[in-house]
Structures are given as structure tokens and as C-alpha cells.
């Protein structure tokens, strides 16, 4: 049986992943699934929830000592907070990764080399920074423009090296912006990409702070959860040492998002979108990737939606409660 | 007056840089130049030599507390040793960089934001790993195949972020293989690139462990020292947030190196090169970059030699004692 640990399981993606694993029985019985986060509002029956702070001394070592076969690492201080709270961002997003890798290496060595867990790390397209080519290829440099992006990129490098040395068997997935996010709007600069779809479908107004010519890279939360379980089962020899992968997604402009909304929700939904240009958000978004050619990930079997309309339909199926 | 600190000053490049600064009076009087390393065999008059271990608690903080205006960070556990001694490599090559950046940030904040030193970091083309295009452009990804390369790449990311935040004003120079290295052969896999020139010029035999079709990227120690002082004076606004630069160099095959040796030292020198194929060295070298298009660095005024023959002549002028 496969022991599975999800670090950062209480977040939106962690919940999607948990549900996917339980529904599809990806790894086997649910009592082998351990969820870790700072707090949980609720968890599925038969699942072990563990609460704690990753930066608390001994916490990561105790997680590693359980010797999970598969570890999903989704915990992060998000972009805006990592900019505002510099030390917290580095401690959680990089130093905790170092501590996790060191603890897993310790278990590897203590096991006489038998224990070598699969580690699937949720990285981000924030590892890239402008200026960009129109479409980013798999061998484009990481030049992040945020501390969050730097911490993700440095984590990827560490995972590659610990994997190359054989201590773990890890890989990093650079996730697109997840859209449509369920729930309420948050303070992330990217929040409007989901808001302009989610709120109108609920009959509520949504603010659009950027011109509708802005192009961006999206995948649904369902696709992201599928990327993660696909990565857990991947033959990593195929990576040939390049353990960070640009995930597939849908590249579209805000105008194309709105057109897809019209097709699904009608003109009445579109009329609820209120353009209110915000220069701050506009400048942040201008530094984000717009499009990728994720050849390697596609060749390895990672699949996203084929269109933004499909992304909206995924939201309606998985999360819409209106 | 400018306070200058060289960390790792006793190594070959540190000595070259020290001599260059003293000879050219790059920054002003020599008593403002502080050299740090584990030990020194000798130092120039008027220069302050400090000895210590970078990983010793408090050492880096005491260096930062001197508030040097310009810091050259050349200290490293070299590639082969970082592979063999995993913890030592990470401690010196990455964790000491983190401690240095944290200590400099502390001084920045303690000074009310006035102190913001220029940090020039000696990175390496080891941040790149095969497969490569024939010529590596400035936006090619870092996918290092050694712990040393990973540690250099992660250090570059940290320097970029601390610079973006305004705590320091740093940049990283990805140095070519330095050739012709003076002194004795060492255990580095790259040692033969210098050996096949240096030993024959001294009338000694040299072993060539790879086919003469192997292509590699070279610059003289003199050019590397010039890169470093040029970087210390650079207007870093020009970097636009991409603070790691591929340095210029000379791309040539071993056959072209040998041809240049023939032009300078005659057939008698060439006859002292003994081909002795070594599969281990051959495999290591196959993973190394062969050629670059270092457009950004050239546009910023960094200049290497124009030919391998010029590199040999630089060696004869600067280091040859035969």
C-alpha cells in the first residue's frame, strides 16, 4: 500500500487533490492518506488530518519520519504576502523546503538507501519574469520578479539536486493560474481572472481592472489536481534530469474569457462585468507570462483543457452552487 | 574612499583580482582593501588579510559589519569536492551566501537604508547542463547537472531578489573555464584544458584525456579579473532585473587549442601532448557548455580575448616563469 502525505492540504488545490485521490482511489484505501496543514475546516472520513506549523522545529522531521511513499508539497506563502513579509516568505517557501529535503535524505540514509520517496512540488509560472517571447518554450530561463517566484525556482533547483543524488525522486510542476477558483475573491492580483467568470455566473457584479487585451495562461483546479496525481505516477527517468515542467494550459485574452462566458452564461452574465482600470494591478499583470509551448509536459501525458469555455464548464460541474 | 572586501581572496582568481586592483588602483589606496580567506601564503604590503572559516558562527556577520562598499564573493567549494562532500558544498556554496545576504540586509536596515553594497558574485557556466543548443543564448534555462552548479544558480536567484528589494546592489558573473591556469595541475576534470598548454610550454609532457574535437568555452584569468572590476563599476539599472550575466569567452576545440600552441610554442611543444583517452573525464566534459552568444554582457562592456592564441599570450605575459 502507498502512504501519501499532502503538505498544505487545506488550501483550495489541496482540497481538490484530496477529493480526487479519494474519489478515484488513486493510491488505495483512504486511511493511508495523511493531510497536513495549519488548520482544517473539515476533512473526509477515514483521512488522517495533522495540524502544525512547518517552520516549528522538529515538525518537518516528524512528517518525514512517517516515511510517506508519495509527498505532495503544496504549502506556500502566496506571492503578495511573500513580498510584504520577506522573512516569512523565505522561511516557509525555501527554508522549509530545504528542511524537508534534508529530513527525507536522513530517512533515505537511515533506511540504508531503501526509502526514496516521490516528491511532487507545486511550483508556479511565477518562476518566469518579463520580458518574454510571445510563447515561452521549455528551455526559457527563470528570471522571477517576485520573492515568491525566486523561492519557487530555488526550491526546484534543490529538488533536482536531491533527486539526481538519489535521495528522493522528485519533480516540480509549474502550474498555470488556476481558474475558475471557487469561493470568494481574494487579494491576489490574479483574483479578477476568476472573479469575472464566477461572480456573473452567480448573478453578482465583477470588477475588471485591466484592458480586455491582456493575455494569460490558465488551467482549471481540476486539471491541476490531475497534473499532481499524474506526476505521482510518472516514470521520472523520462525527465533526464530536468525535473521542473511547464504545465499545459489555455492561453487566452480577457476578451476571449468574456466571449466564453457569453457562450455559457449569456449576455446577462457579461453585462455584470464592470471595467475599472487599476494601474497597480495592470503593472503587476504586465510582468506575467501570456503563453507557453509546454512540449515536454504534453509528451509526458499532462493534459489541460482545450479552451476557456471548457474551463468554465469544469467550474460549473465541480464547484458551481448558485 | 571605497572599502573593498574580497571573500575567497587566496585562490587563483582572488590573487589575480587583488593584483589588478592594486596595480590599477581601481578603487583607491590599498589600505582600503580587505582580503578574506581560510589562509594566505603571502599578501601584498598595505593590504589587510583576514583569515577565518565562512561557516563559523558570527564570521560572516563580522565581515558585513565592516560595511564594505564593494564585495567580491569568490569563495567556493569546487565542483568535484561539492559532489563528494554534499553537506560541505551546500553549507559553503549556498548557506554561506544566504548568511552573507542576510547580514548585509541587516546592515542596510541598521543604517536606515543608507548602506547598500555592490556585491559581485563569481558564478559559473556550471549553472548550465546538457542538452544544449550549439550556442547558448542569454535566455537559456539553468539546468545544472552538479550540486556546485545548483548552488551557484540558487545563489544567483537570492542575489537577484535581495537586489530587487534594494538591500544590496548585486550581480552574478557566469565565468567561462579559466585558461591557462598558472601553477600545477589539479584534480578538476577541466584541468587538462590548461595542462595541455602550460606543461608543454614548460617543456613537460601533458595528458589529453578527451578527443581533440571537444569544444569548450574559455577566458584567461586576466579577463576574469577584468570582468570582476568592470562589474564593480557597472550601472546595474541596465540589468533590468536580470542580474546574472553569461560572460564572454573564446569557444574553441581542443584541436584549435593545440593549433594555437603550435603557433606560439612550435611543434616541439605540441609533441609533448600525449593522448590518453579517459572515459570518465570524457563523460563529464560532454555535459559542459561549448559555446555562447553573450550579447548582454558584451553590450555592457565585458570583453574577453579574441582568440585562443591571445589567451596563450596572456598566460605568457602574466604567469609564465619557464
Amino acid at each position: 500500500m502507498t502512504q501519501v502525505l499532502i503538505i498544505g492540504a487545506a488550501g483550495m488545490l489541496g482540497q481538490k487533490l484530496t477529493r480526487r485521490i479519494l474519489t478515484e482511489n488513486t493510491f488505495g484505501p483512504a486511511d493511508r492518506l495523511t493531510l497536513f496543514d495549519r488548520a482544517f475546516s473539515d476533512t473526509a472520513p477515514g483521512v488522517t488530518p495533522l495540524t502544525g506549523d512547518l517552520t516549528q522545529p522538529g515538525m518537518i522531521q516528524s512528517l518525514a519520519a512517517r516515511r510517506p511513499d508519495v509527498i505532495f508539497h503544496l504549502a506556500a506563502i502566496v506571492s503578495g504576502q511573500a513580498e510584504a513579509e520577506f522573512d516569512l516568505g523565505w522561511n516557509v517557501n525555501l527554508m522549509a523546503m530545504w528542511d524537508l529535503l534534508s529530513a527525507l535524505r536522513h530517512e533515505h540514509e537511515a533506511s540504508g538507501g531503501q526509502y526514496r520517496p516521490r516528491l511532487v512540488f507545486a511550483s508556479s509560472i511565477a518562476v518566469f519574469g518579463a520580458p518574454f517571447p510571445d510563447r515561452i518554450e521549455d528551455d526559457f530561463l527563470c528570471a522571477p520578479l517576485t520573492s515568491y517566484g525566486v523561492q519557487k525556482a530555488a526550491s526546484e533547483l534543490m529538488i533536482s539536486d536531491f533527486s539526481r543524488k538519489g535521495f528522493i525522486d522528485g519533480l516540480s510542476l509549474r502550474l498555470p493560474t488556476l481558474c475558475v477558483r471557487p469561493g470568494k475573491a481574494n487579494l491576489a492580483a490574479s483574483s479578477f481572472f476568476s472573479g469575472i467568470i464566477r461572480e456573473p455566473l452567480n448573478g453578482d457584479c465583477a470588477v475588471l481592472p485591466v484592458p480586455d487585451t491582456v493575455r494569460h495562461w490558465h488551467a482549471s483546479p481540476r486539471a491541476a489536481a490531475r497534473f499532481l496525481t499524474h506526476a505521482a505516477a510518472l516514470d521520472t527517468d523520462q525527465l533526464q534530469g530536468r525535473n521542473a515542467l511547464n504545465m499545459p494550459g489555455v492561453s487566452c485574452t480577457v476578451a476571449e474569457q468574456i466571449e466564453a462566458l457569453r457562450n455559457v452564461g449569456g449576455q446577462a452574465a457579461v453585462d455584470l462585468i464592470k471595467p475599472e482600470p487599476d494601474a497597480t494591478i495592470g503593472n503587476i499583470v504586465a510582468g506575467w507570462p501570456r503563453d507557453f509551448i509546454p512540449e515536454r509536459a504534453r509528451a509526458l501525458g499532462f493534459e489541460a483543457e482545450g479552451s476557456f469555455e471548457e474551463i468554465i464548464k469544469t467550474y460549473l460541474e465541480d464547484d458551481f452552487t448558485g
Side-chain angles (χ1 to χ4, degrees), chain A:
Chain A
M1 271 193 278
T2 306
Q3 291 269 11
V4 179
L5 168 67
I6 304 178
I7 301 175
M12 189 273 284
L13 182 55
Q15 292 179 47
K16 291 282 182 197
L17 175 63
T18 301
R19 221 165 302 156
R20 181 178 174 82
I21 290 172
L22 294 176
T23 309
E24 309 222 327
N25 212 12
T26 315
F27 299 103
D31 62 350
R32 297 298 185 162
L33 179 59
T34 303
L35 308 182
F36 178 85
D37 213 314
R38 281 176 297 180
F40 291 90
S41 48
D42 67 310
T43 52
V47 170
T48 314
L50 288 177
T51 56
D53 178 345
L54 274 187
T55 62
Q56 183 187 319
M59 178 56 71
I60 284 174
Q61 292 71 18
S62 78
L63 290 174
R66 304 170 73 93
R67 296 197 183 171
D69 304 291
V70 176
I71 302 165
F72 296 98
H73 190 336
L74 318 178
I77 299 297
V78 298
S79 186
Q81 193 180 3
E83 282 303 300
E85 299 182 58
F86 189 78
D87 291 311
L88 180 68
W90 279 95
N91 284 338
V92 173
N93 293 348
L94 192 71
M95 298 312 167
M97 175 61 81
W98 173 258
D99 289 341
L100 176 62
L101 294 172
S102 299
L104 294 174
R105 175 187 166 212
H106 172 79
E107 297 299 329
H108 169 82
E109 288 171 352
S111 75
Q114 293 301 300
Y115 176 63
R116 185 167 164 262
R118 171 65 50 98
L119 174 65
V120 180
F121 174 54
S123 186
S124 161
I125 56 173
V127 298
F128 297 107
F132 299 118
D134 283 342
R135 303 188 70 190
I136 296 175
E137 298 193 47
D138 286 328
D139 61 4
F140 190 68
L141 90 167
C142 290
L145 296 173
T146 59
S147 295
Y148 174 83
V150 165
Q151 291 145 9
K152 291 288 189 189
S155 294
E156 291 179 357
L157 286 164
M158 289 177 175
I159 289 169
S160 281
D161 202 47
F162 277 67
S163 297
R164 188 183 58 83
K165 294 293 261 188
F167 305 142
I168 64 162
D169 178 14
L171 70 167
S172 303
L173 310 186
R174 294 168 178 164
L175 300 175
T177 291
L178 299 190
C179 190
V180 178
R181 290 180 71 94
K184 292 192 189 301
N186 63 24
L187 292 172
S190 60
S191 182
F192 74 88
F193 285 122
S194 286
I196 60 169
I197 308 300
R198 185 185 55 228
E199 317 319 359
L201 288 173
N202 283 327
D204 296 329
C205 284
V207 167
L208 173 62
V210 301
D212 69 2
T213 50
V214 163
R215 177 176 286 282
H216 195 55
W217 185 243
H218 306 276
S220 72
R222 185 202 286 179
R226 195 171 57 221
F227 296 160
L228 293 166
T229 55
H230 186 70
L234 202 70
D235 172 6
T236 49
D237 285 348
Q238 297 175 89
L239 299 176
Q240 300 188 289
R242 292 198 177 165
N243 301 40
L245 292 165
N246 298 342
M247 287 295 105
V250 172
S251 172
C252 65
T253 63
V254 168
E256 288 162 358
Q257 284 189 270
I258 293 173
E259 203 44 46
L261 176 64
R262 193 188 323 270
N263 292 343
V264 176
Q267 183 63 34
V270 171
D271 288 341
L272 290 166
I273 301 174
K274 308 296 173 198
E276 284 182 22
D278 180 319
T280 306
I281 293 181
N283 284 335
I284 294 174
V285 173
W288 289 351
R290 298 180 297 268
D291 199 357
F292 287 81
I293 307 177
E295 259 177 33
R296 295 182 66 222
R298 288 210 173 110
L300 291 164
F302 291 92
E303 278 177 38
E305 286 79 11
S307 68
F308 197 80
E309 198 168 313
E310 201 183 319
I311 287 180
I312 297 179
K313 286 176 180 163
T314 299
Y315 168 72
L316 291 175
E317 287 172 25
D318 289 1
D319 293 298
F320 183 65
T321 54

